[in-house]
Amino acid sequence: MLLSFAAISIDVAKLYSERAQLQNGADAAALMVARACATAAPDGNCSSSPSDNVRTLVRGNAVDGLSNVHSVTVNGVAHTVDVTTSAEEAGSSPNSVSMFFAGILGVTSAEVRASSSVQWGTPVRGIMVLPLAVAECKFNLSRDSQAATEQILEFGSGCGRVPGGFGWVDGTGSQCGLTIGVGMESDATTWFSIDPGASPPTRCSATDLSKMNNQTVLLPLYDKAAGTGTNAGYFIKGFAAFHVTGYKFANDGWPTGSGFAQQEPARLLR
């Protein structure tokens, strides 16, 4: 009896291993499809009909290179992707793996599947590493664009009702970063007070600023501003992702001797 249980445990371990591989494949495929849908990539991956790229990715996560893409469901309205993968084994039933020792008890195979779901869309709330609000009109890309060439933001010029087209967001705590959310203009929580001046807020140290060196960060976008000076405020409409390649503020800059905030590529998240 003990030998029988020991033998069956080997088959169970095989099932767990197979499912883990299928899960990895499903996760990777769902992320690939969601990314393709979010960026409107012309690679054919954003489809409920599994592309060759999706099948290759799923099989690449299997130790033996054998896995089946059971289904891919893309919902363009809800912005969701659901991927289900299933086992594939030569000589076995579809979606199944063979059970060697369990065959003694009449169980010759078992179905193994894994599923993964991903939703894409624009961020609506998050912690901003840099409490800097940028006027939406500062960007050199259209509403339908996904990326632009190098973007240079200068404090002394540009559009936006606040001088320079961007400025610092005030905070009440000691942390440099702020939790910022977007919503309707009538919602008071989407309006944030301005911290006037060209220099970063005193709560932001050189160490805080260095966290964005060569990193992709989200910057809050405003399309309306009201008031003046310390009584001014921004209406945060959304976020833009920047890969920071350089910046220069009053007392801090990276790399040494760099000009104003030079960032590429710019991606406007809508």
Side-chain angles (χ1 to χ4, degrees), residues 162-206:
V162 175
F166 72 96
W168 302 101
V169 180
D170 195 13
T172 57
S174 60
Q175 299 295 319
C176 179
L178 291 174
T179 298
I180 293 179
V182 299
M184 300 297 292
E185 182 180 347
S186 58
D187 185 354
T189 63
T190 63
W191 284 83
F192 293 84
S193 299
I194 290 176
D195 189 332
S199 300
T202 55
R203 67 181 189 276
C204 295
S205 66

Side-chain angles (χ1 to χ4, degrees), residues 30-171:
L31 288 171
M32 172 190 280
V33 175
R35 180 180 179 82
C37 295
T39 60
D43 51 19
N45 292 330
C46 182
S47 173
S48 293
S49 297
S51 66
D52 291 339
N53 291 333
V54 171
R55 296 184 187 280
T56 298
L57 185 60
V58 169
R59 289 168 180 162
N61 278 274
V63 174
D64 58 3
L66 295 175
S67 285
N68 178 49
V69 181
H70 187 267
S71 66
V72 175
T73 303
V74 176
N75 188 324
V77 177
H79 290 179
T80 59
V81 176
D82 297 291
V83 175
T84 298
T85 55
S86 57
E88 182 179 348
E89 184 179 86
S92 295
S93 303
N95 310 317
S96 302
V97 293
S98 60
M99 297 285 96
F100 185 77
F101 293 104
I104 301 173
L105 302 177
V107 182
T108 58
S109 64
E111 285 198 8
V112 186
R113 300 185 185 187
S115 298
S116 182
S117 298
V118 173
Q119 184 175 30
W120 76 89
T122 57
V124 295
R125 186 177 179 84
I127 298 176
M128 304 296 105
V129 175
L130 189 67
L132 185 66
V134 182
E136 185 184 24
C137 54
K138 290 287 291 185
F139 293 93
N140 63 350
L141 66 165
S142 66
R143 288 179 177 274
D144 296 327
S145 299
Q146 292 297 326
T149 56
E150 184 173 67
Q151 189 94 29
I152 301 177
L153 303 180
E154 298 186 37
F155 183 81
S157 63
C159 59
R161 290 180 58 189
V162 175
F166 72 96
W168 302 101
V169 180
D170 195 13

